[in-house]
Amino acid sequence: AALVSRSIARASMVVYDEAAVTPDPADEERLDREPYHGGVFLVERNRSEACLAAWGAKVTRLIANHSDLKRASLRDQALLKDCVDQALCDLAFFDPRTLVKPAPDVVRNRSYATLNHLSRSSRLRFKHNRHHLTAAHLAALGTDLLDLPRAPAVRTWWRDPAPCA
């Protein structure tokens, strides 16, 4: 599948439509508030500057107005939606078949995509574990996607500090 599903000639940013990638049965209203996946996006130096500046200003204002806000609580996707609603950003979309957020059936069937969303947050830290991933699933992901051996020493690769930390 092509990475981008429509022409990006006028778009200020290319993003994933979150509902097309991963519906959220735990919080269906979240997709109304945060319809775009904010972790993977494509920008172009000249065309994207105004959109990124508007989005960045909203994030900066939110942080300035809520000094007690935990970083994990910052919902930048909702702020991107505000920019789109106010015509500050014009989006194009990646083909949703190119991104997968690993879940047990994805790992079991090895139905991976071009991009496999493995953030070092909730999915890899078992926070809330709405994804129902187990240590065995994550060990298989390490073998399948990162070419790690099945040796016991690498069975907890997801707990190791990030290489850039």
Side-chain angles (χ1 to χ4, degrees), residues 85-101:
D85 291 348
Q86 296 167 11
L88 300 170
C89 296
D90 178 31
L91 304 183
F93 296 94
F94 289 113
D95 184 324
R97 296 172 295 178
T98 62
L99 176 70
V100 70
K101 294 181 179 180

